[in-house]
Amino acid sequence: MQEKRTYAPSGKSLPDALARTTLMAGCFALLFSETQPANARDRVWFDPMLMEQGNPGQQGVDLSIFSDRGTLPPGSYKLHVWLNGSDVLTRDITLRASAPAEMSPVITRRLLKDLGVRVEAYPALATLADDAPVNDLGSIIPAAFAKVDTRRMILNVSIPQAALVVSPRGYVDPQYWNNGITTLFSNYSWSGSQNQADGRPDEQSQYVNLQNGLNVGPWRVRNYSTWTKDDAASHWNSLSSWVERDIKALRAQLVIGESYTPSALFDSVQFKGVQLASDDNMLPDSQRGFAPTIRGIANSNAQVTIRQNGYIIYQSVVAPGAFEINDLYPTSHSGDLEVTVKEADGREHVFIQPFSSVPVMQRPGQAKYNLTAGRYESGWAHDNEPEFVQGALFYGVNNRVTLYGGALGAEQYQAAALGVGIGMDEWGSVSLDITQAHSVLQDESVHDGQSFRFQYAKNIEATGTAVTLAGYRYSTAGYYTFEEANRGENDASASDYAFDQKRSQFQISINQSTREYGSYYINAWQRNYWDRDDTEKSLSAGMAITYATVSYNVSLNWNKTQGETDRQIALGISIPLSEWLPHSWATVSMSQNKAGDSRLQTGLSGSAFDDGRLGYAFSQSVNREGDSHDVDSDSNAEVNYKSRYANLNLGYYRSDTSRQWSYGAAGAVVVHPHGITLSQPLGDAFALVSANGASDIRLVNQPGVSTDWFGYAVVPWLTPYQENRLTIDTTTLPPDVDTETTSARVIPNKGALVEAQFDARRGYRILLTLHRANGDVVPFGAIVTRKEASDTESIVDEGGVVYLSGINDQTTLQVKWGRESTQHCQANVILPPALPEGRDMLDLTAACI
């Protein structure tokens, strides 16, 4: 928002100045009075001589520019442009005097195009240059008009719907997608732990996750690497490197290098090559039709490690009790995740989390596609890595039917798939497809088979029930996926479950939410194999209820893998303590596993500071093993802090037999044309905020984010291809900082670093008395503008005093109190060589010549 600040202080103290400002406001209220009869002209007369009663020698005052309600001096102003009642963009708009006491905006053909007007449909507009003014808009487009609201600095434009290009809600024209500036960055996550247990050597481990990038124009160079270290060894692993850019005309992303194939039809695999795939993020929200959430229960401060295709993609330390991981880096959109929970005493339990993203339905006439060519890459040493080509197409025939199909071809593997998605109105939607595959395995055996898949999705709005994913797949004995067909003979020793030939799999996820009774969920899956007698099963269920501000939750996890079963149940209660300690909760939780091991935990958690950038959690637990009477206890403390430079965390865990320190940092190093800026972890797009060198400026809804010593800050999370509004938190501005613009809008491309400029001014605030050459003060009502910032105006009070802010070194002022050439002068403001400490308000005088 552009703010025009008008001050009229007087005297030698701020309270006096404010009092006089109030008096002037009352006088101007009469001038701008709106409580007039409907048939009266929008102006009243006020005798300027009344302003001179306290100073008979005062020169006559020219208040003509204030005498009409809603009038501004002619010039260019930054205005919010509203189209048919919606705030759509911000532009510099020229205002000119169209008649006495009337100001009209200069509407250009370019502005109309930006508002979505079909300018080519109107001959009078089609022949105009983009910057040419449009005279009499209403005669060209009947019923159209533009009017300025000077009080709110808004340009209200009304255009009939028939004259506008029909666009979906939330549509952003691709011409405004911003490629951003050239930048080099490293997005990092570092975590570590040190374990000390009685009777065992000390153990240390560290994990680093690096997502490195280089942006040049629309091109994005990326690398995803990890580093792990324990007492035995350390290891760097580059998971993938690639170059990508968006293709706006195709609404698609082009990827060259190492990446993952889409998973909507065939299982996702890692490859090195080229891929072109449509990107739903480039569609507006109203036109958009997934890494999974990992849930489990830890019995102590446990290290959770998640692997996919043999690679570690996530590692962190979680507190005792039920945990939820919902921030996995999306390496692919389907496949098995191997989750290892390592307790503080060294015990481990492993479970598998399969996932996939459905449904496949597309809007009528909308197509989704992908095409990949490259070499298959496996995380296992003995696998084949053949070259292959894969493609898939999904097309919405109408509101009820989507057709889709695809093919995958390699030297010793070929597969083709066909399917249909059907919308059944209140009965939900289903998809049915069949895949035929021909495989030649490493032992030269030849196999042919089919895989049949059924998927179902349904949201029951009346009850709030969502069957988000229900699917069944059956494969014949001769069917192999591309990954299975290229497995090495010696890989079974690594992890048996991953290398058996799947026969069938069923999975379902149901979520229920109610306003009165909270929410519930059930996730379950079952899988069997052709060469194994046992069946793998998993079930997780839970509920969360809030009653009288107290929250209750229950969770159950049951797993059966390779003949072994594990069962855990947990109950938790959270009580807000806001009346005694703001933003804090007391918690009580209980858990028990199949072996009878039980745990009772009490704790305190919350956040501190006005934006919640400091978080903390403390807990005390009592544990009992099985049916024995042996009881031990442990304590846990965690602190995390969101700073402008990084997110930091520190934890300590202690039991009767072990102790553990955990620590970590997550953030980014961003190198840009103006220097180097440290920030919190980056998302799919981010912004560089520049505040003209002013530090400690914070932004709304961005905990911990503020400008550094050089006046720069990185807003780490933006939504690509959508409008993002960045707003300065004016309540936290340092006392010596002022700013005219308080908000900015940016529309970044995927992966872009876009700039947002705020005209902040750091400097002294001044009550300046202006004297003319004859010794008289400058007349009341004179308008003062800074030569280097002509869009910033202030008004002189009846004592010749004007309020200014952001004054550093030497400043030149342009002063005007009438339309005649003799009613202008210029003044230089020079700060004294010795400035008083601890003050940001100075009393100065200057000659206006």
Side-chain angles (χ1 to χ4, degrees), residues 178-181 686-689 718 726 746-749 752-756:
N178 193 339
N179 288 326
I181 60 177
F686 41 103
L688 177 68
V689 172
L718 299 178
L726 306 178
V746 292
I747 305 172
N749 283 9
L753 172 64
V754 294
E755 274 193 288

Side-chain angles (χ1 to χ4, degrees), residues 34-230:
E34 299 180 15
T35 57
Q36 303 178 56
N39 60 352
R41 189 177 180 184
D42 286 346
R43 61 187 301 172
V44 294
W45 185 82
F46 181 83
D47 188 353
M49 293 297 293
L50 294 176
M51 293 291 190
E52 305 170 18
Q53 296 301 313
N55 186 5
Q58 169 87 18
Q59 180 179 343
V61 181
D62 185 352
L63 299 179
S64 59
I65 64 172
F66 301 112
S67 61
D68 295 283
R69 176 170 59 90
T71 298
L72 290 174
S76 179
Y77 297 86
K78 188 177 292 294
L79 303 179
H80 290 288
V81 182
W82 288 53
L83 174 65
N84 298 338
S86 298
D87 188 0
V88 293
L89 49 83
T90 302
R91 288 288 185 275
D92 289 324
I93 304 296
T94 299
L95 300 183
R96 62 186 178 187
S98 57
E102 291 185 8
M103 303 300 298
S104 63
V106 176
I107 305 299
T108 64
R109 182 178 185 269
R110 184 188 305 277
L111 177 61
L112 294 178
K113 287 174 61 178
D114 291 346
L115 293 175
V117 176
R118 297 187 297 115
V119 294
E120 301 300 332
Y122 298 90
L125 296 176
T127 58
L128 284 179
D130 280 347
D131 294 327
V134 177
N135 298 317
D136 197 0
L137 178 62
S139 64
I140 299 175
I141 305 176
F145 66 85
K147 186 176 181 181
V148 178
D149 184 341
T150 56
R151 290 178 301 169
R152 297 189 297 164
M153 302 302 288
I154 289 175
L155 173 62
N156 284 306
V157 181
S158 178
I159 303 290
Q161 199 67 31
L164 298 174
V165 177
V166 178
S167 300
R169 287 178 300 171
Y171 173 79
V172 177
D173 194 320
Q175 68 174 314
Y176 299 118
W177 295 350
N178 193 339
N179 288 326
I181 60 177
T182 300
T183 182
L184 176 70
F185 67 88
S186 180
N187 201 23
Y188 65 87
S189 174
W190 168 63
S191 63
S193 64
Q194 180 175 344
N195 301 289
Q196 298 174 331
D198 296 345
R200 291 193 294 121
D202 293 353
E203 295 181 354
Q204 292 187 1
S205 66
Q206 295 187 45
Y207 172 74
V208 176
N209 182 312
L210 294 177
Q211 299 160 31
N212 307 304
L214 170 66
N215 292 358
V216 180
W219 292 96
R220 315 283 182 248
V221 182
R222 297 292 186 264
N223 171 263
Y224 180 30
S225 300
T226 61
W227 177 76
T228 56
K229 180 182 182 300
D230 54 27

Side-chain angles (χ1 to χ4, degrees), residues 6 62 180 200 239 308 436 584 759 804 824:
T6 303
D62 185 352
R200 291 193 294 121
L239 299 183
Q308 184 176 36
Q436 174 74 38
S584 64
D759 297 325
L804 301 171
H824 300 175

